[in-house]
Short mmCIF file of all heavy atoms in Angstrom, two decimals:
data_model
loop_
_atom_site.label_atom_id
_atom_site.label_comp_id
_atom_site.label_asym_id
_atom_site.label_seq_id
_atom_site.Cartn_x
_atom_site.Cartn_y
_atom_site.Cartn_z
N MET A 16 0.85 -1.18 0.00
CA MET A 16 0.00 0.00 0.00
C MET A 16 0.89 1.24 0.00
O MET A 16 1.81 1.34 0.80
CB MET A 16 -0.91 -0.01 1.23
CG MET A 16 -1.82 1.20 1.31
SD MET A 16 -2.90 1.28 2.76
CE MET A 16 -3.83 -0.20 2.64
N ASP A 17 0.60 2.17 -0.90
CA ASP A 17 1.32 3.44 -0.93
C ASP A 17 0.76 4.34 0.17
O ASP A 17 -0.45 4.52 0.26
CB ASP A 17 1.13 4.16 -2.26
CG ASP A 17 1.83 3.46 -3.41
OD1 ASP A 17 2.86 2.81 -3.15
OD2 ASP A 17 1.36 3.56 -4.55
N THR A 18 1.64 4.91 0.99
CA THR A 18 1.22 5.80 2.06
C THR A 18 1.76 7.20 1.80
O THR A 18 2.94 7.36 1.50
CB THR A 18 1.72 5.29 3.43
OG1 THR A 18 1.20 3.97 3.64
CG2 THR A 18 1.26 6.19 4.55
N HIS A 19 0.87 8.18 1.89
CA HIS A 19 1.25 9.57 1.68
C HIS A 19 0.80 10.38 2.89
O HIS A 19 -0.34 10.26 3.33
CB HIS A 19 0.58 10.14 0.43
CG HIS A 19 0.85 9.34 -0.80
ND1 HIS A 19 2.00 9.46 -1.52
CD2 HIS A 19 0.12 8.37 -1.41
CE1 HIS A 19 1.97 8.63 -2.54
NE2 HIS A 19 0.82 7.94 -2.49
N GLU A 20 1.70 11.20 3.42
CA GLU A 20 1.35 12.07 4.54
C GLU A 20 0.89 13.41 3.98
O GLU A 20 1.56 13.99 3.13
CB GLU A 20 2.53 12.26 5.48
CG GLU A 20 2.87 10.99 6.23
CD GLU A 20 3.87 11.21 7.35
OE1 GLU A 20 4.25 12.37 7.61
OE2 GLU A 20 4.27 10.22 7.96
N ILE A 21 -0.25 13.88 4.45
CA ILE A 21 -0.83 15.13 3.99
C ILE A 21 -0.84 16.10 5.17
O ILE A 21 -1.52 15.86 6.17
CB ILE A 21 -2.26 14.93 3.45
CG1 ILE A 21 -2.29 13.83 2.38
CG2 ILE A 21 -2.82 16.25 2.93
CD1 ILE A 21 -1.42 14.09 1.18
N GLN A 22 -0.09 17.18 5.05
CA GLN A 22 0.00 18.18 6.12
C GLN A 22 -1.14 19.18 5.96
O GLN A 22 -1.32 19.74 4.87
CB GLN A 22 1.34 18.91 6.02
CG GLN A 22 1.60 19.90 7.12
CD GLN A 22 1.92 19.24 8.44
OE1 GLN A 22 2.61 18.22 8.49
NE2 GLN A 22 1.44 19.81 9.52
N ILE A 23 -1.91 19.39 7.03
CA ILE A 23 -2.96 20.41 6.99
C ILE A 23 -2.61 21.48 8.03
O ILE A 23 -1.89 21.21 8.99
CB ILE A 23 -4.37 19.83 7.23
CG1 ILE A 23 -4.49 19.19 8.62
CG2 ILE A 23 -4.74 18.83 6.14
CD1 ILE A 23 -5.92 18.81 9.00
N HIS A 24 -3.13 22.67 7.82
CA HIS A 24 -2.85 23.78 8.72
C HIS A 24 -4.13 24.31 9.34
O HIS A 24 -4.19 25.45 9.78
CB HIS A 24 -2.12 24.89 7.95
CG HIS A 24 -0.84 24.43 7.34
ND1 HIS A 24 0.31 24.20 8.08
CD2 HIS A 24 -0.52 24.09 6.08
CE1 HIS A 24 1.26 23.76 7.30
NE2 HIS A 24 0.78 23.69 6.06
N THR A 25 -5.15 23.46 9.35
CA THR A 25 -6.43 23.80 9.95
C THR A 25 -6.78 22.70 10.95
O THR A 25 -6.07 21.70 11.06
CB THR A 25 -7.54 23.88 8.87
OG1 THR A 25 -7.60 22.64 8.17
CG2 THR A 25 -7.27 25.01 7.89
N GLU A 26 -7.87 22.87 11.67
CA GLU A 26 -8.27 21.88 12.67
C GLU A 26 -8.65 20.55 12.04
O GLU A 26 -8.37 19.49 12.58
CB GLU A 26 -9.46 22.43 13.47
CG GLU A 26 -9.96 21.49 14.55
CD GLU A 26 -11.18 22.03 15.29
OE1 GLU A 26 -11.50 23.22 15.14
OE2 GLU A 26 -11.79 21.24 16.01
N TYR A 27 -9.27 20.61 10.87
CA TYR A 27 -9.72 19.40 10.17
C TYR A 27 -9.79 19.68 8.67
O TYR A 27 -9.70 20.81 8.22
CB TYR A 27 -11.08 18.92 10.69
CG TYR A 27 -12.21 19.87 10.41
CD1 TYR A 27 -12.88 19.86 9.20
CD2 TYR A 27 -12.59 20.82 11.36
CE1 TYR A 27 -13.91 20.75 8.93
CE2 TYR A 27 -13.61 21.71 11.12
CZ TYR A 27 -14.27 21.67 9.90
OH TYR A 27 -15.28 22.55 9.64
N ILE A 28 -9.97 18.58 7.91
CA ILE A 28 -10.21 18.68 6.47
C ILE A 28 -11.30 17.67 6.14
O ILE A 28 -11.34 16.57 6.70
CB ILE A 28 -8.92 18.41 5.65
CG1 ILE A 28 -9.14 18.67 4.15
CG2 ILE A 28 -8.40 17.00 5.90
CD1 ILE A 28 -7.86 18.67 3.34
N LYS A 29 -12.22 18.07 5.27
CA LYS A 29 -13.29 17.16 4.88
C LYS A 29 -12.72 16.09 3.95
O LYS A 29 -11.80 16.34 3.18
CB LYS A 29 -14.42 17.92 4.18
CG LYS A 29 -15.17 18.83 5.12
CD LYS A 29 -16.30 19.53 4.41
CE LYS A 29 -17.02 20.45 5.37
NZ LYS A 29 -18.12 21.16 4.68
N LEU A 30 -13.31 14.91 4.01
CA LEU A 30 -12.82 13.77 3.24
C LEU A 30 -12.72 14.09 1.75
O LEU A 30 -11.69 13.83 1.14
CB LEU A 30 -13.72 12.55 3.47
CG LEU A 30 -13.37 11.28 2.70
CD1 LEU A 30 -11.94 10.83 3.00
CD2 LEU A 30 -14.36 10.18 3.03
N GLN A 31 -13.76 14.65 1.17
CA GLN A 31 -13.71 14.93 -0.27
C GLN A 31 -12.60 15.94 -0.59
O GLN A 31 -11.94 15.83 -1.62
CB GLN A 31 -15.05 15.41 -0.79
CG GLN A 31 -15.48 16.78 -0.29
CD GLN A 31 -16.81 17.21 -0.87
OE1 GLN A 31 -17.46 16.46 -1.59
NE2 GLN A 31 -17.22 18.42 -0.55
N ASP A 32 -12.38 16.89 0.30
CA ASP A 32 -11.33 17.88 0.08
C ASP A 32 -9.94 17.26 0.23
O ASP A 32 -9.01 17.62 -0.49
CB ASP A 32 -11.49 19.06 1.04
CG ASP A 32 -12.79 19.83 0.80
OD1 ASP A 32 -13.29 19.81 -0.34
OD2 ASP A 32 -13.30 20.43 1.76
N LEU A 33 -9.81 16.31 1.15
CA LEU A 33 -8.55 15.61 1.31
C LEU A 33 -8.18 14.86 0.04
O LEU A 33 -7.04 14.92 -0.42
CB LEU A 33 -8.62 14.63 2.49
CG LEU A 33 -7.39 13.73 2.68
CD1 LEU A 33 -6.19 14.55 3.11
CD2 LEU A 33 -7.68 12.63 3.68
N LEU A 34 -9.15 14.17 -0.53
CA LEU A 34 -8.89 13.41 -1.75
C LEU A 34 -8.44 14.33 -2.89
O LEU A 34 -7.52 14.00 -3.64
CB LEU A 34 -10.11 12.60 -2.16
CG LEU A 34 -10.59 11.54 -1.17
CD1 LEU A 34 -11.84 10.83 -1.71
CD2 LEU A 34 -9.51 10.54 -0.86
N LYS A 35 -9.08 15.49 -3.01
CA LYS A 35 -8.70 16.45 -4.05
C LYS A 35 -7.33 17.05 -3.74
O LYS A 35 -6.48 17.13 -4.62
CB LYS A 35 -9.75 17.55 -4.18
CG LYS A 35 -11.05 17.09 -4.80
CD LYS A 35 -11.99 18.23 -5.12
CE LYS A 35 -12.34 19.03 -3.88
NZ LYS A 35 -13.35 20.06 -4.13
N PHE A 36 -7.11 17.49 -2.50
CA PHE A 36 -5.86 18.13 -2.10
C PHE A 36 -4.67 17.20 -2.31
O PHE A 36 -3.60 17.62 -2.73
CB PHE A 36 -5.95 18.57 -0.64
CG PHE A 36 -4.75 19.29 -0.12
CD1 PHE A 36 -4.46 20.58 -0.56
CD2 PHE A 36 -3.91 18.70 0.81
CE1 PHE A 36 -3.34 21.25 -0.08
CE2 PHE A 36 -2.80 19.36 1.29
CZ PHE A 36 -2.51 20.65 0.85
N ALA A 37 -4.87 15.92 -2.04
CA ALA A 37 -3.79 14.93 -2.17
C ALA A 37 -3.55 14.52 -3.61
O ALA A 37 -2.59 13.84 -3.91
CB ALA A 37 -4.12 13.70 -1.32
N GLY A 38 -4.46 14.91 -4.51
CA GLY A 38 -4.31 14.54 -5.91
C GLY A 38 -4.80 13.14 -6.22
O GLY A 38 -4.52 12.60 -7.29
N ALA A 39 -5.56 12.54 -5.30
CA ALA A 39 -6.07 11.19 -5.51
C ALA A 39 -7.22 11.19 -6.52
O ALA A 39 -7.47 10.19 -7.17
CB ALA A 39 -6.54 10.59 -4.18
N VAL A 40 -7.91 12.32 -6.62
CA VAL A 40 -8.97 12.52 -7.61
C VAL A 40 -8.78 13.89 -8.23
O VAL A 40 -8.13 14.75 -7.65
CB VAL A 40 -10.39 12.41 -6.99
CG1 VAL A 40 -10.65 11.02 -6.45
CG2 VAL A 40 -10.60 13.45 -5.92
N GLU A 41 -9.37 14.09 -9.40
CA GLU A 41 -9.22 15.38 -10.07
C GLU A 41 -10.32 16.37 -9.71
O GLU A 41 -10.06 17.58 -9.64
CB GLU A 41 -9.19 15.18 -11.58
CG GLU A 41 -7.92 14.49 -12.05
CD GLU A 41 -7.83 14.45 -13.56
OE1 GLU A 41 -8.48 15.26 -14.24
OE2 GLU A 41 -7.08 13.60 -14.06
N THR A 42 -11.53 15.89 -9.50
CA THR A 42 -12.65 16.79 -9.23
C THR A 42 -13.45 16.33 -8.02
O THR A 42 -13.33 15.19 -7.57
CB THR A 42 -13.61 16.84 -10.44
OG1 THR A 42 -14.25 15.55 -10.57
CG2 THR A 42 -12.89 17.20 -11.73
N GLY A 43 -14.28 17.25 -7.54
CA GLY A 43 -15.18 16.91 -6.45
C GLY A 43 -16.16 15.83 -6.85
O GLY A 43 -16.55 15.00 -6.04
N GLY A 44 -16.55 15.82 -8.13
CA GLY A 44 -17.46 14.79 -8.62
C GLY A 44 -16.82 13.41 -8.58
O GLY A 44 -17.48 12.42 -8.25
N ASP A 45 -15.53 13.35 -8.90
CA ASP A 45 -14.80 12.08 -8.81
C ASP A 45 -14.75 11.61 -7.35
O ASP A 45 -14.94 10.42 -7.06
CB ASP A 45 -13.38 12.22 -9.34
CG ASP A 45 -13.31 12.46 -10.84
OD1 ASP A 45 -14.32 12.17 -11.54
OD2 ASP A 45 -12.26 12.94 -11.31
N ALA A 46 -14.48 12.55 -6.45
CA ALA A 46 -14.42 12.21 -5.02
C ALA A 46 -15.78 11.69 -4.55
O ALA A 46 -15.86 10.66 -3.88
CB ALA A 46 -14.01 13.43 -4.20
N LYS A 47 -16.84 12.39 -4.92
CA LYS A 47 -18.20 11.97 -4.54
C LYS A 47 -18.48 10.55 -5.01
O LYS A 47 -19.00 9.73 -4.26
CB LYS A 47 -19.22 12.93 -5.14
CG LYS A 47 -20.65 12.57 -4.86
CD LYS A 47 -21.60 13.57 -5.51
CE LYS A 47 -23.05 13.17 -5.29
NZ LYS A 47 -23.97 14.12 -5.90
N GLY A 48 -18.10 10.27 -6.25
CA GLY A 48 -18.36 8.95 -6.82
C GLY A 48 -17.69 7.82 -6.07
O GLY A 48 -18.33 6.84 -5.70
N ILE A 49 -16.38 7.95 -5.83
CA ILE A 49 -15.69 6.83 -5.17
C ILE A 49 -16.08 6.70 -3.70
O ILE A 49 -16.09 5.60 -3.16
CB ILE A 49 -14.15 6.89 -5.34
CG1 ILE A 49 -13.53 8.06 -4.60
CG2 ILE A 49 -13.76 6.89 -6.79
CD1 ILE A 49 -12.02 7.99 -4.51
N ILE A 50 -16.44 7.83 -3.08
CA ILE A 50 -16.88 7.76 -1.68
C ILE A 50 -18.23 7.06 -1.61
O ILE A 50 -18.43 6.15 -0.79
CB ILE A 50 -16.94 9.17 -1.05
CG1 ILE A 50 -15.53 9.74 -0.91
CG2 ILE A 50 -17.64 9.13 0.30
CD1 ILE A 50 -15.47 11.22 -0.57
N GLN A 51 -19.17 7.42 -2.47
CA GLN A 51 -20.50 6.82 -2.45
C GLN A 51 -20.48 5.35 -2.86
O GLN A 51 -21.35 4.58 -2.46
CB GLN A 51 -21.46 7.60 -3.34
CG GLN A 51 -21.85 8.93 -2.74
CD GLN A 51 -22.85 9.70 -3.57
OE1 GLN A 51 -23.00 9.46 -4.77
NE2 GLN A 51 -23.55 10.63 -2.94
N GLU A 52 -19.48 4.95 -3.65
CA GLU A 52 -19.35 3.54 -4.06
C GLU A 52 -18.79 2.68 -2.93
O GLU A 52 -18.70 1.47 -3.07
CB GLU A 52 -18.45 3.44 -5.28
CG GLU A 52 -19.06 4.00 -6.54
CD GLU A 52 -18.07 4.08 -7.69
OE1 GLU A 52 -16.90 3.66 -7.54
OE2 GLU A 52 -18.44 4.60 -8.75
N GLY A 53 -18.38 3.29 -1.81
CA GLY A 53 -17.83 2.55 -0.69
C GLY A 53 -16.39 2.14 -0.89
O GLY A 53 -15.91 1.20 -0.25
N ARG A 54 -15.66 2.84 -1.74
CA ARG A 54 -14.27 2.50 -2.04
C ARG A 54 -13.28 3.17 -1.09
O ARG A 54 -12.09 2.91 -1.16
CB ARG A 54 -13.94 2.89 -3.48
CG ARG A 54 -14.73 2.09 -4.50
CD ARG A 54 -14.56 2.58 -5.91
NE ARG A 54 -13.16 2.78 -6.27
CZ ARG A 54 -12.77 3.46 -7.35
NH1 ARG A 54 -13.67 4.00 -8.17
NH2 ARG A 54 -11.50 3.59 -7.63
N VAL A 55 -13.79 4.02 -0.19
CA VAL A 55 -12.91 4.76 0.71
C VAL A 55 -13.15 4.33 2.15
O VAL A 55 -14.30 4.20 2.58
CB VAL A 55 -13.15 6.28 0.57
CG1 VAL A 55 -12.27 7.07 1.53
CG2 VAL A 55 -12.91 6.74 -0.87
N THR A 56 -12.07 4.10 2.88
CA THR A 56 -12.18 3.80 4.30
C THR A 56 -11.51 4.92 5.08
O THR A 56 -10.55 5.53 4.63
CB THR A 56 -11.51 2.46 4.68
OG1 THR A 56 -10.13 2.51 4.33
CG2 THR A 56 -12.17 1.29 3.98
N VAL A 57 -12.04 5.17 6.27
CA VAL A 57 -11.45 6.14 7.19
C VAL A 57 -11.17 5.39 8.48
O VAL A 57 -12.09 4.83 9.08
CB VAL A 57 -12.39 7.34 7.44
CG1 VAL A 57 -11.82 8.26 8.51
CG2 VAL A 57 -12.61 8.11 6.14
N ASN A 58 -9.92 5.36 8.86
CA ASN A 58 -9.49 4.65 10.07
C ASN A 58 -9.98 3.20 10.06
O ASN A 58 -10.39 2.65 11.08
CB ASN A 58 -9.94 5.38 11.33
CG ASN A 58 -9.31 6.76 11.44
OD1 ASN A 58 -8.18 6.96 11.03
ND2 ASN A 58 -10.05 7.71 11.95
N GLY A 59 -9.97 2.58 8.87
CA GLY A 59 -10.30 1.17 8.73
C GLY A 59 -11.76 0.84 8.48
O GLY A 59 -12.10 -0.30 8.21
N ASP A 60 -12.64 1.84 8.56
CA ASP A 60 -14.08 1.61 8.35
C ASP A 60 -14.53 2.28 7.05
O ASP A 60 -14.14 3.42 6.78
CB ASP A 60 -14.90 2.18 9.51
CG ASP A 60 -14.58 1.49 10.83
OD1 ASP A 60 -14.39 0.25 10.82
OD2 ASP A 60 -14.53 2.18 11.86
N VAL A 61 -15.39 1.60 6.28
CA VAL A 61 -15.92 2.19 5.06
C VAL A 61 -16.68 3.47 5.43
O VAL A 61 -17.45 3.50 6.39
CB VAL A 61 -16.87 1.22 4.33
CG1 VAL A 61 -17.55 1.90 3.16
CG2 VAL A 61 -16.10 -0.01 3.85
N CYS A 62 -16.42 4.53 4.68
CA CYS A 62 -17.06 5.82 4.94
C CYS A 62 -17.72 6.31 3.67
O CYS A 62 -17.08 6.40 2.62
CB CYS A 62 -16.03 6.84 5.44
SG CYS A 62 -16.76 8.43 5.82
N THR A 63 -19.00 6.63 3.75
CA THR A 63 -19.73 7.15 2.59
C THR A 63 -20.14 8.60 2.78
O THR A 63 -20.96 9.13 2.05
CB THR A 63 -20.98 6.29 2.30
OG1 THR A 63 -21.80 6.27 3.46
CG2 THR A 63 -20.60 4.88 1.89
N MET A 64 -19.54 9.27 3.76
CA MET A 64 -19.85 10.67 4.04
C MET A 64 -18.76 11.56 3.44
O MET A 64 -17.63 11.56 3.92
CB MET A 64 -19.94 10.92 5.54
CG MET A 64 -21.02 10.13 6.24
SD MET A 64 -21.12 10.48 8.01
CE MET A 64 -19.53 9.90 8.57
N ARG A 65 -19.12 12.32 2.41
CA ARG A 65 -18.14 13.20 1.76
C ARG A 65 -17.62 14.26 2.72
O ARG A 65 -16.48 14.67 2.64
CB ARG A 65 -18.77 13.92 0.57
CG ARG A 65 -19.10 13.02 -0.58
CD ARG A 65 -19.67 13.80 -1.74
NE ARG A 65 -20.96 14.39 -1.38
CZ ARG A 65 -21.39 15.58 -1.77
NH1 ARG A 65 -20.65 16.34 -2.52
NH2 ARG A 65 -22.58 16.01 -1.41
N GLY A 66 -18.48 14.71 3.64
CA GLY A 66 -18.11 15.78 4.56
C GLY A 66 -17.47 15.31 5.85
O GLY A 66 -17.29 16.10 6.77
N LYS A 67 -17.13 14.03 5.93
CA LYS A 67 -16.49 13.48 7.14
C LYS A 67 -15.26 14.31 7.48
O LYS A 67 -14.41 14.57 6.63
CB LYS A 67 -16.09 12.03 6.89
CG LYS A 67 -15.28 11.38 7.98
CD LYS A 67 -16.13 10.98 9.12
CE LYS A 67 -15.31 10.17 10.12
NZ LYS A 67 -15.96 10.08 11.39
N LYS A 68 -15.17 14.77 8.72
CA LYS A 68 -14.05 15.60 9.15
C LYS A 68 -12.88 14.71 9.59
O LYS A 68 -13.03 13.88 10.47
CB LYS A 68 -14.46 16.51 10.30
CG LYS A 68 -15.51 17.52 9.90
CD LYS A 68 -15.95 18.35 11.09
CE LYS A 68 -17.02 19.33 10.67
NZ LYS A 68 -17.51 20.10 11.83
N LEU A 69 -11.73 14.92 8.96
CA LEU A 69 -10.53 14.19 9.34
C LEU A 69 -9.57 15.16 10.02
O LEU A 69 -9.36 16.28 9.56
CB LEU A 69 -9.87 13.57 8.11
CG LEU A 69 -10.59 12.34 7.58
CD1 LEU A 69 -11.65 12.76 6.58
CD2 LEU A 69 -9.63 11.40 6.95
N ARG A 70 -9.01 14.69 11.12
CA ARG A 70 -8.09 15.50 11.90
C ARG A 70 -6.72 14.83 11.89
O ARG A 70 -6.59 13.67 11.51
CB ARG A 70 -8.63 15.63 13.32
CG ARG A 70 -9.91 16.46 13.38
CD ARG A 70 -10.52 16.51 14.77
NE ARG A 70 -11.53 17.54 14.88
CZ ARG A 70 -12.76 17.46 14.42
NH1 ARG A 70 -13.15 16.36 13.79
NH2 ARG A 70 -13.62 18.44 14.58
N PRO A 71 -5.70 15.57 12.32
CA PRO A 71 -4.36 14.95 12.34
C PRO A 71 -4.37 13.60 13.05
O PRO A 71 -4.97 13.45 14.12
CB PRO A 71 -3.52 15.99 13.09
CG PRO A 71 -4.18 17.30 12.71
CD PRO A 71 -5.66 16.98 12.71
N GLY A 72 -3.74 12.62 12.42
CA GLY A 72 -3.70 11.26 12.95
C GLY A 72 -4.68 10.33 12.25
O GLY A 72 -4.53 9.12 12.31
N ASP A 73 -5.69 10.89 11.58
CA ASP A 73 -6.67 10.07 10.86
C ASP A 73 -6.06 9.56 9.56
O ASP A 73 -5.16 10.16 9.00
CB ASP A 73 -7.94 10.87 10.53
CG ASP A 73 -8.83 11.09 11.75
OD1 ASP A 73 -8.72 10.31 12.72
OD2 ASP A 73 -9.62 12.04 11.72
N ARG A 74 -6.59 8.41 9.10
CA ARG A 74 -6.10 7.78 7.87
C ARG A 74 -7.27 7.46 6.96
O ARG A 74 -8.28 6.94 7.41
CB ARG A 74 -5.38 6.46 8.20
CG ARG A 74 -4.17 6.64 9.05
CD ARG A 74 -3.63 5.31 9.55
NE ARG A 74 -2.39 5.51 10.29
CZ ARG A 74 -1.18 5.45 9.76
NH1 ARG A 74 -1.03 5.16 8.49
NH2 ARG A 74 -0.11 5.66 10.49
N ALA A 75 -7.09 7.79 5.69
CA ALA A 75 -8.09 7.45 4.68
C ALA A 75 -7.41 6.57 3.65
O ALA A 75 -6.26 6.81 3.27
CB ALA A 75 -8.64 8.71 4.02
N ALA A 76 -8.09 5.53 3.19
CA ALA A 76 -7.52 4.63 2.18
C ALA A 76 -8.51 4.49 1.03
O ALA A 76 -9.72 4.44 1.23
CB ALA A 76 -7.21 3.27 2.78
N ILE A 77 -7.96 4.42 -0.18
CA ILE A 77 -8.77 4.26 -1.38
C ILE A 77 -8.49 2.88 -1.96
O ILE A 77 -7.35 2.57 -2.30
CB ILE A 77 -8.42 5.34 -2.42
CG1 ILE A 77 -8.58 6.73 -1.80
CG2 ILE A 77 -9.29 5.19 -3.66
CD1 ILE A 77 -7.92 7.82 -2.59
N ASP A 78 -9.53 2.07 -2.06
CA ASP A 78 -9.43 0.72 -2.62
C ASP A 78 -8.36 -0.13 -1.94
O ASP A 78 -7.83 -1.06 -2.54
CB ASP A 78 -9.17 0.77 -4.13
CG ASP A 78 -10.33 1.38 -4.91
OD1 ASP A 78 -11.48 1.23 -4.46
OD2 ASP A 78 -10.07 1.99 -5.97
N GLY A 79 -7.99 0.21 -0.73
CA GLY A 79 -6.97 -0.55 -0.01
C GLY A 79 -5.59 -0.46 -0.64
O GLY A 79 -4.69 -1.20 -0.28
N GLU A 80 -5.41 0.49 -1.56
CA GLU A 80 -4.13 0.61 -2.27
C GLU A 80 -3.37 1.88 -1.89
O GLU A 80 -2.15 1.85 -1.77
CB GLU A 80 -4.38 0.62 -3.78
CG GLU A 80 -4.97 -0.66 -4.30
CD GLU A 80 -5.32 -0.57 -5.78
OE1 GLU A 80 -4.97 0.44 -6.41
OE2 GLU A 80 -5.93 -1.52 -6.29
N THR A 81 -4.08 2.99 -1.73
CA THR A 81 -3.45 4.25 -1.43
C THR A 81 -3.95 4.74 -0.09
O THR A 81 -5.16 4.84 0.13
CB THR A 81 -3.78 5.31 -2.51
OG1 THR A 81 -3.36 4.81 -3.77
CG2 THR A 81 -3.08 6.62 -2.23
N GLU A 82 -3.02 5.05 0.82
CA GLU A 82 -3.40 5.52 2.14
C GLU A 82 -2.93 6.96 2.30
O GLU A 82 -1.80 7.29 1.98
CB GLU A 82 -2.77 4.65 3.23
CG GLU A 82 -3.17 5.08 4.63
CD GLU A 82 -2.60 4.15 5.68
OE1 GLU A 82 -1.38 3.95 5.70
OE2 GLU A 82 -3.40 3.66 6.50
N LEU A 83 -3.84 7.80 2.81
CA LEU A 83 -3.52 9.20 3.07
C LEU A 83 -3.56 9.41 4.58
O LEU A 83 -4.59 9.16 5.20
CB LEU A 83 -4.54 10.12 2.39
CG LEU A 83 -4.72 9.89 0.88
CD1 LEU A 83 -5.89 10.71 0.37
CD2 LEU A 83 -3.46 10.22 0.14
N VAL A 84 -2.46 9.85 5.15
CA VAL A 84 -2.37 10.08 6.59
C VAL A 84 -2.37 11.58 6.82
O VAL A 84 -1.52 12.30 6.30
CB VAL A 84 -1.10 9.46 7.18
CG1 VAL A 84 -1.02 9.70 8.68
CG2 VAL A 84 -1.02 7.97 6.87
N VAL A 85 -3.34 12.06 7.61
CA VAL A 85 -3.43 13.49 7.89
C VAL A 85 -2.46 13.84 9.01
O VAL A 85 -2.43 13.20 10.05
CB VAL A 85 -4.88 13.87 8.29
CG1 VAL A 85 -4.98 15.36 8.59
CG2 VAL A 85 -5.85 13.48 7.21
N ARG A 86 -1.66 14.85 8.77
CA ARG A 86 -0.69 15.34 9.77
C ARG A 86 -0.96 16.78 10.11
O ARG A 86 -1.42 17.54 9.38
CB ARG A 86 0.74 15.22 9.25
CG ARG A 86 1.16 13.80 9.03
CD ARG A 86 1.47 13.14 10.33
NE ARG A 86 1.84 11.75 10.09
CZ ARG A 86 1.50 10.77 10.89
NH1 ARG A 86 0.80 10.98 11.96
NH2 ARG A 86 1.87 9.55 10.62
#
């Protein structure tokens, strides 16, 4: 699994924004699609909420292949 650390300078980042910021998807529509399809996990659990707030220490994974760690 490829792991990428994403540094944020705010209290939290929404899941769909994290995917766009990290370059995992190109558009918000792409983010919405893969999240609603159940292809994204947050801290090991499938998450279908685009607005899920991720804080430093949280991990999001796409298809079990790419992991984004919020710092």
Side-chain angles (χ1 to χ4, degrees):
M16 180 181 302
D17 291 330
T18 301
H19 305 278
E20 291 190 4
I21 307 300
Q22 184 73 38
I23 62 171
H24 302 285
T25 57
E26 180 183 347
Y27 65 85
I28 187 169
K29 291 182 181 179
L30 178 58
Q31 68 179 4
D32 296 333
L33 174 68
L34 298 179
K35 289 189 301 186
F36 182 71
V40 296
E41 291 187 21
T42 67
D45 292 341
K47 178 181 177 179
I49 68 168
I50 292 168
Q51 288 183 339
E52 290 171 3
R54 295 172 49 194
V55 179
T56 59
V57 174
N58 297 325
D60 297 321
V61 173
C62 181
T63 57
M64 299 181 296
R65 292 182 294 143
K67 173 78 173 164
K68 295 177 181 177
L69 285 88
R70 292 176 166 77
D73 286 338
R74 298 170 176 267
I77 304 164
D78 295 330
E80 296 175 7
T81 303
E82 182 177 54
L83 306 172
V84 180
V85 179
R86 295 284 178 217

